[in-house]
Amino acid sequence: MSTNSDETNRSPSPATFGEPWPEFNDGLTYRDLVRLPDSGPSFSLQACVYARFSKCLTLIDFYSIKHQSSAPLLGWLQRIENGQITVNDTIVTDPNTVLRTGAKLVYHRRPWKEPYAPHLLEILFEDDHLIALNKPSGLQVLPGGLFQQRTLLTQLQWHIKNQESCPVPVHRLGRGTSGILLCAKTKLAKTRVSALFAEKTSAVVDNRKVNSEVNKVVKMSKIYRALVCGIINEDEVVIEQPIGTSKYPGVAKGLYVASPSGKPALSKVHVLKRDLQNNQTIVQVEIQSGRPHQIRIHLSFIGHPLLGDPLYVIGGIPKCCGSETIDETFAEDGGYNKPANPVPGDCGYYLHAHQLLFCHPITNKVCRITASLPNHLSC
C-alpha cells in the first residue's frame, strides 16, 4: 500500500439523507420459463420424471415444487386463484392448467406493508469512487424476506437517482448492526475494494499473520464495538473458532454457527470497560476475516454473547435447535408465516462498526473512517 501521504480521516462534516418509507411497497414480479423436463436446481427428480413421461405438468405442480421455499401448497393455490399468476401474459386461475414447453410464467406479488425500519443515513465519507454511510440498527442493507423496499440500497437509489449508476455495498453488515457500510460508485472501485476484503479473509485461511508486527502495511482494518454479557477477565482474547452452517428452521440455506468443520475465522477482542454492577463488558473487536455473523458467533463461543442477542447463546450456537419442520400454514400473501424461532435478521443486540481503515482503491491513500458511538457503547 502506498504511504506517500499522511494517514487521514477524509470524512466531511456530517450530512444526512433519507426519504420516509411509503406505507406499502410496490410489490414484486417473478418470472419463469417452463422447460420440460425442468432442470432447475430446486426442481425434484420425481417432478422431472413426471413431466417427461406424462407431459402434463400443471401450474400448481410447477410452483409448489420448484418454489416450495416461497410458499406452501395451499399458499400457491391461493395465489393462483387470486389471479396473481399469468401464463404467456394471460391471467390463469385454474391451478390444474397444463403447462407447455416454453410457457412464460409471471407471479405478481402484491404490495405489502413491510416491518418498521429507520430511513435516515449519515454520510461519513464520499468522493467520486466511494461513499461510506453510518447505517442505523434495524435497517437491512439488501432486499430479502419481508424487507424488499425498506433497505439501505433503496435509499441510495433514491438519493443517487440523477446519476448513471447507484453505489453498491462491498461488504456485509447485519440488520441489527449499526455503523460503517462502505459502498462503491464504480465497477473498478468495487472490484478493488472487494479484493481487499477477500485478501484479508484469505490470509486467515492460509494461516498467515495479518496486521502483525511483521506485516506493518495495513491494507484493510475493521474495528467494531460490542456490549457482551458477563465479565471478560482477560484484557485481550484471540478467537480462532471456525464457522460453518447447520440446518435451522426458517433459514433455508442453513444457519451460520461455530463448527469444527467450518471455515477459518479470526477475531481479536480487546476489553475496554468492565461493568461489574451490571455484569457486562464493552469490547473492541477487530475481525481478520469476514464470515457472516462472525462477532456474534465468536463472542458467544467464548461464553460472552452480545447483550440482547435473540439468536446466539454460549457456545456459538442458536438458542433454539428444534426439529426442522415445515409450517404448512400461510400468511396473508400466501407465503410462510414468520418463523417462531429467532432468525439472524432479528435485532436487539449491541454491535457497532466503529472504524474502517483501508487503502483507497484509486488514489492509494490511507483512509480512516469513524462512525460515532451509540451511548450504550461509549466508555
Side-chain angles (χ1 to χ4, degrees):
M1 176 173 61
S2 171
T3 57
N4 56 9
S5 66
D6 293 336
E7 182 177 304
T8 178
N9 183 342
R10 299 176 59 198
S11 302
S13 57
T16 60
F17 68 89
E19 299 181 24
W21 306 114
E23 183 177 5
F24 291 89
N25 61 25
D26 299 327
L28 289 172
T29 298
Y30 300 89
R31 302 179 186 279
D32 280 290
L33 181 65
V34 176
R35 296 167 294 167
L36 295 178
D38 196 297
S39 57
S42 61
F43 213 70
S44 69
L45 177 61
Q46 180 181 2
C48 290
V49 173
Y50 171 77
R52 183 173 182 179
F53 289 102
S54 68
K55 297 184 179 180
C56 294
L57 183 67
T58 64
L59 189 61
I60 188 59
D61 289 335
F62 183 90
Y63 278 104
S64 65
I65 297 174
K66 186 170 184 179
H67 297 293
Q68 58 183 318
S69 62
S70 171
L73 174 64
L74 294 178
W76 278 117
L77 284 172
Q78 172 184 288
R79 292 170 173 180
I80 294 171
E81 292 168 356
N82 283 346
Q84 293 175 248
I85 295 175
T86 61
V87 179
N88 295 328
D89 300 324
T90 300
I91 295 176
V92 175
T93 57
D94 181 2
N96 294 315
T97 298
V98 176
L99 301 177
R100 302 302 179 190
T101 303
K104 297 178 181 179
L105 308 182
V106 180
Y107 159 53
H108 301 273
R109 185 174 180 182
R110 292 176 173 174
W112 72 93
K113 187 174 182 179
E114 299 183 15
Y116 167 81
H119 67 276
L120 289 177
L121 294 163
E122 178 187 357
I123 300 175
L124 301 173
F125 169 90
E126 185 173 15
D127 63 12
D128 292 338
H129 314 282
L130 302 169
I131 181 170
L133 304 172
N134 188 1
K135 185 187 83 69
S137 174
L139 179 63
Q140 190 155 300
V141 175
L142 300 176
L146 293 176
F147 295 93
Q148 294 294 328
Q149 184 179 64
R150 296 186 178 188
T151 67
L152 180 143
L153 182 61
T154 299
Q155 289 292 349
L156 265 179
Q157 291 170 342
W158 290 347
H159 180 63
I160 313 290
K161 53 191 171 186
N162 294 326
Q163 297 189 15
E164 291 183 3
S165 60
C166 177
V168 292
V170 293
H171 63 104
R172 305 182 186 98
L173 211 59
R175 187 165 75 90
T177 305
S178 58
I180 302 168
L181 184 79
L182 187 63
C183 303
K185 290 184 173 182
T186 65
K187 290 183 178 180
L188 180 59
K190 180 180 184 297
T191 299
R192 292 183 177 178
V193 175
S194 298
L196 288 180
F197 282 102
E199 180 182 347
K200 195 170 180 65
T201 297
S202 65
V204 174
V205 174
D206 296 339
N207 197 28
R208 292 187 274 119
K209 291 185 178 296
V210 183
N211 300 345
S212 65
E213 288 299 316
V214 178
N215 183 12
K216 293 177 182 284
V217 179
V218 180
K219 292 185 178 181
M220 175 70 68
S221 176
K222 295 183 289 182
I223 296 176
Y224 292 72
R225 280 285 177 96
L227 180 61
V228 304
C229 299
I231 303 299
I232 300 179
N233 295 320
E234 302 87 349
D235 291 336
E236 293 187 354
V237 181
V238 176
I239 309 171
E240 299 181 85
Q241 172 62 34
I243 294 176
T245 56
S246 175
K247 288 185 177 181
Y248 184 78
V251 182
K253 295 182 179 179
L255 179 70
Y256 287 94
V257 296
S259 170
S261 60
K263 295 181 178 180
L266 177 62
S267 302
K268 295 182 178 180
V269 181
H270 177 71
V271 171
L272 298 177
K273 179 182 179 181
R274 297 180 178 93
D275 184 349
L276 300 178
Q277 182 176 356
N278 293 307
N279 191 35
Q280 57 195 32
T281 305
I282 296 179
V283 296
Q284 173 179 292
V285 185
E286 181 179 5
I287 57 173
Q288 303 286 344
S289 52
R291 306 302 177 197
H293 316 304
Q294 178 174 320
I295 294 177
R296 298 170 67 186
I297 294 170
H298 270 181
L299 286 170
S300 62
F301 176 76
I302 65 171
H304 298 279
L306 269 61
L307 185 68
D309 193 330
L311 179 60
Y312 293 103
V313 295
I314 292 175
I317 58 176
K319 182 180 300 185
C320 303
C321 295
S323 59
E324 189 165 12
T325 58
I326 297 177
D327 181 4
E328 285 297 333
T329 62
F330 54 92
E332 184 177 348
D333 71 339
Y336 291 104
N337 286 312
K338 186 182 183 301
N341 292 336
V343 293
D346 292 344
C347 303
Y349 54 89
Y350 297 97
L351 180 62
H352 182 74
H354 180 40
Q355 291 183 335
L356 178 64
L357 177 69
F358 66 97
C359 176
H360 194 286
I362 307 301
T363 67
N364 285 330
K365 293 181 179 179
V366 176
C367 299
R368 182 191 298 274
I369 301 172
T370 301
S372 58
L373 293 165
N375 291 333
H376 49 266
L377 290 175
S378 300
C379 293

